[in-house]
Structure formats: structure tokens, C-alpha cells
Amino acid sequence: MSYPLSILDLAIVQPGQAIPDAVAASVELAQKAEEQGFRRIWFAEHHNFPSIASSATSVFIAHVAAHTDRIRLGSGGVMLPNHSPLIIAEQFGTLAEIHPGRIDLGLGRAPGTDQRTMMALRREPSAADTFPRDIKELQGYLKGQSLIPGVEAHPGTGTDVPLFILGSSEYGAQLAAALGLSYSFASHFAPQMLEHAARIYREKFEPSEDLAEPYFIAAANVIAADTEDEAHAQLELAQRHRIRQMLGRGRDLSEDDVTSLMHSPAGEQVLSMMKYTAVGTIETVRAYLDEFRERVNADELIITNTAPDLAARHRTLELLGEHVINR
């Protein structure tokens, strides 16, 4: 059974890689994904991570959109408490005016960084408390129904950019259900509450003018290759990169350091975040994704193309396009 398949591009900057080269790799992957029939590509807002290039998320989306023709592009997500709703409405409204029918706006409430960087963002610790109200304010701007008299988003008003709530807990599921919005669960790095959140979202969903029925997206890490050995070799490289990213911030880790950390309690905790990972030949990966989607009753799957090697990431998309999207 075919179903929509999308990509969360983590915009990874490999060790020693120049930023322009990392951005160019994301453009190449977006073009390949468009060619293979993927539904959408999202980029996430992170700050103070030298290994992630998508901190200026709307700018990154604009660049990729300018180099593609049809595929939907958006945020997975914008951390709304870091911004005023008006600014985000203007940014994504501008994108929607330039690329009509192609822009998504996924919203999260986490800072997307650590406490010290959160302070540098001028974000108050209580900013997340107004997340539901900020979503409604943002939605009002995009629909041309501003909640603040005399204030409109220009560009933005009337573009009605589709909103998605992103989350990794019951909170996001409850909120998306109450607002009648699509919900995407970050199970690619926070697997613990996936099935519970999916059930809560469907049980409590309230239809809205935007969505008559619940729409649930689940995330998984994927590495597909021509042989099992090749796929698992790429998985090990991906795991080592994750250890460097999560446990090596501010430190220059040797390969021996990374190996030691992989077998430490902290390393095992980091690797457990990748619980939902499909790895192997396309037959193995397809069977995994089919079962995963059915188990959580997902309307769409969004994958992180986890292999560090660019050629391996291209091959993953080719295999998924031929054997999952276009089967």
C-alpha cells in the first residue's frame, strides 16, 4: 500500500565541511526527493549547533524553494516562542507569495537549543506558556483575520499557510487535537511516547475549518542501501556523528573518544533516541516502514535520511522512490 513519504532534512554540516557545501548538499537532496515523488521536505530551527545549517529556517527554505519546482517545503519546525507571531507570519507569508501552494509551517514550543543560547535569543523562560495563544495569533495573520486590531502581516495576510503542530509528548497531541490541526510526532529522536500521543491525538481531535479529520505524521530514521552490510556501515557512521553532536559540543573528540562514549550510559541514552530506525536493503526498509506506519496509524511518514555519505543519502531516496512511493 502506498502512502505519502516526506523528509526532515537535518541540514547536517559534516566535520570539516564548509557551510556552502552543506547547503548545496541539501539542495541536491531536495531536487532528488522532488524527482522521486516525496511529498514535502522540512527543515528545523536549531541554534548554536555547528553541525546544523538551518538555524535561519525561513532563509534556508527560501533558498531550497528557489532551486526546486514542485515539492512542498517548510519548517519542522519553527520554535514559535523564539519569535513574535507577526514576524513568522511575514516570513512564511512572503515564502507563500513567492512559492504559492508549496509552503508548510510546522510549529514547536521548545527553544531548539540550550539554556545559555536561549538567553542569547532573548527568550524568556516562560515563553512556552503562551504557545497556544501565539499559534492563534499567527493563524489570524495568515488567514487575514488578525486578532490584533489594526495589525496585519504584509506579506502574509490571506495566504493561509497550512499549520502543523510538532511535538514529542502528550502536550502537542492534545493541543493539535484541540485546535484541529495536523500533528507531527518527533519519533526520530524521541520515541518514548509515540503510540500514546498518536492515540490521544485521534481520540481528542476536534474538526476545524482547516481540517475535518485528524492528520498524523510519524518520523523515522532511514538508511536504505543495495546491501545490508553497506546500510549498517552507514548506520554506524550516523551513530558516531550523533554522539559527536550530542555529547561532544565544545570538545574535539577523537575516534577513540567517540567509541568510548558510545558504550557509556550517556552514549547509550543518545543512541536509544534512534529506536525507530529502518536500516538495510530496500526490502527490509519497506517492510519496517509499512509495519511502523500501520502500528501508529500514521497518515504520512517523514524520514530523516540518516546516512552521513551524500551518495548513500541519494541512494536511499532512489530506493524509497522506486519501491515505496511509486510501487
Side-chain angles (χ1 to χ4, degrees), residues 29-78:
L29 286 168
Q31 292 168 338
K32 175 65 71 173
E34 183 172 77
E35 174 188 306
Q36 296 298 325
F38 283 78
R39 171 71 60 87
R40 65 184 100 241
I41 301 175
W42 284 353
F43 303 97
E45 176 187 346
H46 293 282
H47 299 282
N48 200 26
F49 279 90
S51 58
I52 297 177
S54 56
S55 56
T57 313
S58 60
V59 178
F60 204 99
I61 292 167
H63 180 70
V64 178
H67 289 81
T68 50
D69 298 313
R70 303 176 306 279
I71 195 165
R72 297 191 67 88
L73 296 159
S75 59
V78 159

Side-chain angles (χ1 to χ4, degrees), residues 187-193 221 239 242-247 258-277:
S187 37
H188 64 294
F189 77 90
Q192 294 84 359
M193 296 189 69
N221 305 290
Q239 291 172 328
R242 184 70 64 94
I243 292 292
R244 286 184 182 278
Q245 183 185 54
M246 302 297 294
L247 301 181
V258 173
T259 300
S260 296
L261 284 170
M262 287 180 72
H263 299 289
S264 71
E268 290 175 358
Q269 174 64 29
V270 168
L271 295 182
S272 73
M273 296 163 66
M274 298 178 68
K275 174 182 177 180
Y276 294 119
T277 297

Side-chain angles (χ1 to χ4, degrees), residues 289-317:
L289 293 179
D290 287 350
E291 188 277 331
F292 176 68
R293 186 197 68 84
E294 185 173 346
R295 176 155 47 87
V296 300
N297 195 19
D299 299 287
E300 179 178 333
L301 295 184
I302 189 164
I303 67 140
T304 63
N305 193 359
T306 311
D309 180 73
L310 182 58
R313 278 179 278 163
H314 276 270
R315 187 59 180 150
T316 289
L317 298 189

Side-chain angles (χ1 to χ4, degrees), residues 169-170 173-174 185 192-201:
S169 69
E170 183 178 324
Q174 296 268 15
F185 192 90
Q192 294 84 359
M193 296 189 69
L194 169 62
E195 294 183 50
H196 175 70
R199 184 176 65 254
I200 290 294
Y201 171 63

